[in-house]
Amino acid sequence: MPTEQNKPIALTTTATKILVSGHLTEKAKDLAARMPVMTKEVPATVQLYLDGIIEQWWVKPDASGVVFLLNLIDTRKASDLLNALPLGIAGMMEFELIPLGPLGPLRMLLTS
């Protein structure tokens, strides 16, 4: 019978945020085609920030895309939301979504 000391620790955790890595597609490399879309993309992205959905945002140093930290836990909802942005609709940006959660194994360091 497992004792409290050797009780198995659950290594899984519930997602509390989503890390998004967005990258420009080949279609977006034509600056003349991308700029009209950007005039709609920027206000739409700012609105997501003001709505509390985007918590933090960065540009990749090589200007190949963006990184967002979202206050969402549902990757399907996040994907739908990002793909509905002007760059997503135009096929100019694709997204990788990574659910994040608390570092559960730290529980091993806690004493009761």
Side-chain angles (χ1 to χ4, degrees):
M1 174 178 249
T3 65
E4 190 65 32
Q5 190 173 19
N6 66 6
K7 186 174 154 185
I9 302 292
L11 297 179
T12 59
T13 189
T14 303
T16 57
K17 305 276 184 190
I18 298 175
L19 182 68
V20 177
S21 177
H23 66 273
L24 296 171
T25 65
E26 280 297 317
K27 195 173 182 181
K29 292 186 179 175
D30 177 359
L31 190 58
R34 189 172 76 226
M35 289 316 292
V37 178
M38 291 302 296
T39 63
K40 296 175 186 162
E41 179 75 13
V42 173
T45 306
V46 169
Q47 189 62 56
L48 291 178
Y49 171 77
L50 294 173
D51 289 344
I53 294 171
I54 295 176
E55 179 178 313
Q56 296 181 37
W57 50 6
W58 303 271
V59 66
K60 294 178 185 178
D62 64 0
S64 65
V66 296
V67 176
F68 298 143
L69 183 61
L70 302 182
N71 286 318
L72 295 173
I73 59 172
D74 182 335
T75 54
R76 181 176 299 223
K77 180 178 179 179
S79 179
D80 290 347
L81 188 119
L82 294 166
N83 287 314
L85 289 170
L87 285 173
I89 291 169
M92 294 184 174
M93 186 165 284
E94 295 176 341
F95 304 96
E96 176 186 4
L97 283 69
I98 304 165
L100 303 174
L103 190 56
L106 287 175
R107 287 181 180 88
M108 295 186 308
L109 302 174
L110 300 176
T111 58
S112 38

